Amino acid sequence: MWKAVLEAKRVGARAFGMFLRSQRSWNSKSLDDEAAEKFQSTCQECGFESCYILPHSPYLMNLGSPKEGTLLPFLLSDSKSVYFPPYPLPFISCCLDVFLKSRAMLVEELGRCKQLGLTLYNIHPGSRVGAISVTECIKRIADGINYAHSQVPDVTVVLENMSCQGSTIGGHFEELREIIDHITDKSRIGVCLDTCHAFAAGHNLADEAGVKLMIDTFSKIVGISYLKAVHLNDSKGEVGCHLDRHENIGQGYIGLEGFRQVMNEPRFDGIPMILETPYNPDFEDYSTEIGLLYSLCS
């Protein structure tokens, strides 16, 4: 894990994101104290403060999972019999077990942050998988965060805005605000603005005043004090497409002029800005895009 710190330093980053476990598995090995101490000492040696490190939750986590799942029948192709699968398919239904496992995962992940000396933890809010109302889903997400807060002190949960794709929660700033309204300890909740997600949700960051308008809207609805980080991604899809498809900086529909606005927006000062762009064989590594972003600063 400490090697991530060295890599961030090597490519010229001043902030970085990381996974604290496999992002596609419910199970993970515990983090031993020696590895945690090595991570902290490497951060200190490389000059990275905890407020500029933003771990990301595994993709399986869904704090908005419905209380009850529905096992939908499938007609077997070779007969007229009806088959009920022994488990709910994730894109059709979700069961209470997913919520409990997600909540337990969040507690474990906040514990890892605490062990590593980190203070921020980024999550996708969750999805109602088409089975419950937005209001009920938001309440479940907040309940999961409140429970995790009660188990692990000090670490702030950072909600990522989404692209309005499918049944996901968080594509509208009003949804993020409603989650925050249900959080007991509001000093430990925040938001990370993803540029690709915002663009896909309908905020035209490619427009001349698009970034300013988005931040003004965010400030009015959510509150600028809750802004804790930014994910820097161009978009493969057009504005309002609702697709979560990241593109390299300047090669998508947001474009370089959009990111010039981002890099010169004063309300982004002092918070981590994390690249999540795809691998590009034309780039040596992330240092290419980091240098490009710095060049846009005036």
Side-chain angles (χ1 to χ4, degrees), residues 128-141:
R128 60 189 183 88
V129 293
I132 57 176
S133 69
V134 170
T135 298
E136 185 178 353
C137 187
I138 285 172
K139 181 65 163 55
R140 291 185 65 73
I141 293 167

Side-chain angles (χ1 to χ4, degrees), residues 195-196 198-200 202-214 233-235 237-240 250 252-262:
T195 55
C196 171
F199 188 76
H203 299 278
N204 192 359
L205 307 186
D207 188 70
E208 185 177 356
V211 173
K212 181 181 184 301
L213 178 59
M214 178 189 69
N233 301 293
D234 212 325
S235 174
E238 297 183 28
V239 62
Y253 282 97
I254 297 177
L256 287 181
E257 291 309 308
F259 282 98
R260 190 183 306 277
Q261 294 180 62
V262 170

Side-chain angles (χ1 to χ4, degrees), residues 63 103 106-108 110-111 119-121 123 141-159 179-180 182-190 226:
L63 293 174
R103 192 178 70 173
L106 180 58
V107 171
E108 183 180 340
L110 296 190
T119 56
L120 301 173
Y121 186 74
I123 70 169
I141 293 167
D143 286 346
I145 295 171
N146 282 330
Y147 177 81
H149 278 172
S150 73
Q151 301 301 302
V152 183
D154 302 328
V155 184
T156 294
V157 174
V158 180
L159 305 166
I179 295 171
I180 292 170
H182 288 293
I183 299 300
T184 302
D185 186 353
K186 291 180 174 52
S187 70
R188 296 179 60 196
I189 191 72
Y226 289 107

Side-chain angles (χ1 to χ4, degrees), residues 270-283:
I271 62 175
M273 304 177 79
I274 312 294
L275 276 165
E276 290 185 324
T277 51
Y279 167 74
N280 188 326
D282 294 331
F283 296 163

Side-chain angles (χ1 to χ4, degrees), residues 51-73:
C51 60
Y52 296 111
I53 303 171
L54 186 64
H56 198 296
S57 64
Y59 299 127
L60 292 174
M61 185 185 293
N62 181 13
L63 293 174
S65 177
K67 288 185 177 180
E68 296 179 357
T70 303
L71 293 180
L72 301 182

Side-chain angles (χ1 to χ4, degrees), residues 167-226:
S167 296
T168 57
I169 298 296
H172 302 290
F173 291 158
E174 290 84 356
E175 293 171 351
L176 298 174
R177 178 69 240 191
E178 193 171 344
I179 295 171
I180 292 170
D181 286 342
H182 288 293
I183 299 300
T184 302
D185 186 353
K186 291 180 174 52
S187 70
R188 296 179 60 196
I189 191 72
V191 173
C192 171
L193 284 178
D194 185 297
T195 55
C196 171
H197 297 173
F199 188 76
H203 299 278
N204 192 359
L205 307 186
D207 188 70
E208 185 177 356
V211 173
K212 181 181 184 301
L213 178 59
M214 178 189 69
I215 299 302
D216 287 346
T217 304
F218 178 88
S219 299
K220 180 179 179 180
I221 296 172
V222 179
I224 199 65
S225 64
Y226 289 107

